[in-house]
């Protein structure tokens, strides 16, 4: 819970809640960055001061992901949506298809962009189930002749998450981790390319982190305009153009904060505890319900609804929640309902406070 009385409890899906300690550190840097007499937004992005930021940022990312030497890390402007087009531009071969595990809104966006460039093949989809569960994995025969397989590890809108991430023999795997990157311990060396926007667990919107195996990068298209070549961004040290210096420094502060919390194992256990606490209430509620299949429920984005007989109370719930200091609980415009996002910076106390509010609301509805 906040030590500042004018702060609300923000359950937004992104841009999302930041730790107050990080906000305070960022605020200080805007006036006098590391004793330079200049604010963070004023320093030259190729200065030795900012070189140190980028070196520590890569070091901490590599350390927390436990990456081996065959993987590269770099940062891109445009957020994860830029990569929906950049990935097929770089890796989709003329005589092959990109394979997709379709699990909702964001894979749909990626598929649409891929189709502008070449063939996007649907290997599995849970659309027939309204994306309330994850798709059944394809067989080896289904994945034949695709040059890579792409999926989204956590679906912010539908509230599903791969708790055991799919792997495929002899086929590169590309994973959009925008909304659960660094939320749990994983073997990050098993993937050929992972990417994610920073605005959920790592700071500011408008930047994506990209982690790519060297063997996969070597297969990229070198005939593209330079800005669309992923290898060019790596070679330029994430500074092919003037970068979002504030967002990159904020990401560094978030990595330092994450280490102070005990790293990925500790934060993963806390994220599971928060989610299970809220789901436990939803499953016994006579007013609210969690529609996602239990095995596939996200620990990051808890999607819930009022039961059909109470649907007319939706606006009342959101209004009373806002009056009580619980903000950004409305579900995505594509599905409605409600959503509570429990990213790394969200405290267990905040989740407990939300649950208590929901219990009181339920009592009023039933009275």
């Amino acid at each position: 819970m906040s030590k500042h009385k004018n702060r609300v409890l923000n359950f937004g899906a992104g841009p999302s809640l930041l730790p107050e300690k990080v906000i305070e550190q960022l605020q200080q840097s805007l006036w006098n960055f590391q004793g330079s007499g200049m604010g963070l937004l004023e320093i030259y992005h190729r200065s030795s001061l900012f070189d140190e930021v980028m070196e520590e940022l890569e070091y901490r990312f590599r350390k927390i992901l436990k990456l081996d030497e065959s993987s590269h890390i770099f940062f891109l402007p445009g957020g994860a949506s830029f990569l929906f087009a950049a990935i097929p531009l770089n890796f989709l071969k003329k005589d092959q298809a990109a394979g997709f595990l379709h699990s909702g809104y964001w894979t749909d966006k990626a598929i649409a962009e891929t189709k502008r460039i070449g063939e996007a093949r649907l290997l599995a989809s849970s659309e027939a189930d309204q994306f309330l569960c994850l798709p059944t994995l394809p067989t080896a025969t289904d994945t034949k002749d695709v040059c890579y397989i792409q999926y989204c590890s956590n679906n912010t809108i539908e509230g599903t998450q791969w708790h055991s991430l799919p792997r495929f023999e002899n086929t590169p795997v590309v994973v959009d981790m925008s909304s659960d990157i660094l939320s749990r311990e994983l073997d990050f060396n098993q993937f050929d390319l992972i990417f994610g926007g920073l605005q959920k667990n790592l700071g500011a919107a408008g930047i994506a982190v990209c982690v790519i195996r060297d063997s996969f990068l070597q297969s990229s298209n070198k005939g593209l305009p330079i800005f669309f070549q992923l290898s060019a961004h790596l070679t330029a040290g994430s500074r092919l153009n003037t970068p979002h210096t504030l967002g990159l420094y904020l990401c560094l502060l978030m990595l330092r904060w994450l280490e102070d919390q005990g790293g990925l194992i500790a934060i993963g256990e806390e994220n599971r505890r928060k989610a299970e606490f809220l789901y436990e209430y939803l499953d016994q509620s006579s007013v609210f319900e969690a529609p996602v299949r239990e095995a596939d429920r996200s620990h990051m984005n808890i999607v819930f609804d009022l039961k059909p007989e109470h649907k007319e109370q939706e606006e009342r719930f959101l209004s009373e929640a806002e009056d009580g200091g619980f903000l950004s609980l409305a579900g995505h415009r594509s599905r409605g309902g409600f959503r509570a996002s429990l990213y790394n910076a969200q405290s267990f106390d905040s989740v407990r406070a939300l649950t208590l509010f929901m219990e009181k609301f339920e009592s009023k509805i039933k009275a």
Side-chain angles (χ1 to χ4, degrees):
M1 304 288 280
S2 176
K3 64 183 180 182
H4 301 283
K5 45 182 191 178
N6 59 341
R7 294 278 288 176
V8 298
L9 297 182
N10 175 14
F11 290 91
S16 56
L17 180 72
L18 293 170
E20 290 184 1
K21 177 182 177 181
V22 168
I23 294 173
E24 290 165 356
Q25 291 171 331
L26 189 66
Q27 184 181 37
Q28 292 167 8
S29 75
L30 294 176
W31 181 248
N32 186 0
F33 184 65
Q34 297 184 4
S36 66
M38 295 180 290
L40 173 61
L41 293 173
E42 302 169 304
I43 64 171
Y44 180 41
H45 65 285
R46 299 189 191 279
S47 65
S48 58
L49 264 178
F50 203 70
D51 284 344
E52 291 173 6
V53 169
M54 296 303 293
E55 287 166 8
E56 185 182 351
L57 181 57
E58 180 176 346
Y59 168 77
R60 286 185 178 273
F61 238 114
R62 186 173 289 278
K63 178 183 175 184
I64 202 164
L65 294 177
K66 299 179 182 176
L67 292 179
D68 59 37
E69 292 304 313
S70 67
S71 292
H72 305 287
I73 303 174
F74 55 97
F75 298 85
L76 294 160
S81 292
F82 171 73
L83 283 145
F84 290 164
I87 289 169
L89 281 170
N90 278 266
F91 301 108
L92 182 54
K93 308 305 179 188
K94 191 173 291 186
D95 57 344
Q96 290 185 298
F100 284 89
L101 309 183
H102 185 22
S103 55
Y105 185 92
W106 293 111
T107 48
D108 189 58
K109 293 281 188 184
I111 290 165
E113 288 298 281
T114 301
K115 285 180 176 179
R116 294 175 183 271
I117 295 154
E119 184 184 351
R121 186 180 303 168
L122 219 57
L123 301 177
S125 173
S126 53
E127 186 170 11
D129 298 302
Q130 299 179 294
F131 300 119
L132 294 176
C133 61
L134 292 169
T136 302
L137 291 179
T139 66
T141 304
D142 296 329
T143 62
K144 188 179 179 182
D145 298 328
V146 296
C147 51
Y148 62 85
I149 296 172
Q150 184 170 335
Y151 61 89
C152 185
S153 57
N154 182 78
N155 297 283
T156 55
I157 292 168
E158 295 78 16
T160 58
Q161 183 179 29
W162 292 97
H163 296 293
S164 178
L165 277 77
R167 298 178 64 180
F168 300 91
E169 291 294 327
N170 305 316
T171 305
V173 174
V174 174
V175 188
D176 177 358
M177 293 190 177
S178 290
S179 55
D180 67 349
I181 192 166
L182 300 193
S183 68
R184 53 181 166 165
E185 178 87 345
L186 290 172
D187 175 10
F188 291 95
N189 290 297
Q190 67 183 295
F191 309 109
D192 296 273
L193 170 61
I194 61 175
F195 67 95
L198 301 188
Q199 71 272 20
K200 316 287 189 179
N201 280 323
L202 291 170
I207 309 174
V209 62
C210 190
V211 180
I212 187 167
R213 294 190 72 81
D214 187 69
S215 56
F216 192 52
L217 183 63
Q218 294 305 319
S219 69
S220 64
N221 182 356
K222 305 302 191 295
L224 297 171
I226 194 73
F227 197 78
F228 294 94
Q229 291 184 37
L230 295 185
S231 58
H233 288 274
L234 173 63
T235 302
S238 304
R239 287 175 277 185
L240 187 60
N241 66 323
T242 304
H244 186 342
T245 52
L246 182 143
L248 292 169
Y249 182 63
L250 176 55
C251 183
L252 173 57
L253 294 179
M254 289 298 294
L255 291 177
R256 291 175 182 171
W257 175 85
L258 182 55
E259 187 171 325
D260 290 343
Q261 307 312 302
L264 294 185
I265 293 177
I267 207 74
E269 290 173 352
E270 184 67 359
N271 286 334
R272 186 182 306 108
R273 184 168 80 107
K274 292 182 297 188
E276 288 177 352
F277 186 83
L278 184 49
Y279 282 128
E280 184 177 354
Y281 162 68
L282 290 168
D283 285 341
Q284 60 80 43
S285 173
S286 59
V287 170
F288 296 99
E289 61 184 354
V292 173
R293 184 169 68 187
E294 187 171 352
D296 298 335
R297 288 175 175 176
S298 171
H299 291 166
M300 294 285 96
N301 308 99
I302 284 67
V303 166
F304 60 100
D305 298 304
L306 284 163
K307 291 186 175 180
E309 61 270 29
H310 300 296
K311 282 287 186 184
E312 74 281 358
Q313 302 290 339
E314 280 192 2
E315 288 187 14
R316 177 184 173 186
F317 173 74
L318 291 173
S319 177
E320 292 190 13
E322 187 167 340
D323 290 344
F326 303 94
L327 267 65
S328 303
L329 287 169
H332 189 266
R333 60 187 179 276
S334 64
R335 77 164 301 277
F338 312 113
R339 172 176 56 181
S341 295
L342 311 184
Y343 298 124
N344 289 352
Q346 194 69 261
S347 71
F348 181 81
D349 285 345
S350 296
V351 178
R352 180 163 49 198
L354 172 63
T355 305
L356 288 171
F357 167 78
M358 293 170 67
E359 287 176 344
K360 290 177 182 176
F361 182 84
E362 178 171 348
S363 296
K364 287 190 286 186
I365 294 298
K366 292 161 61 178

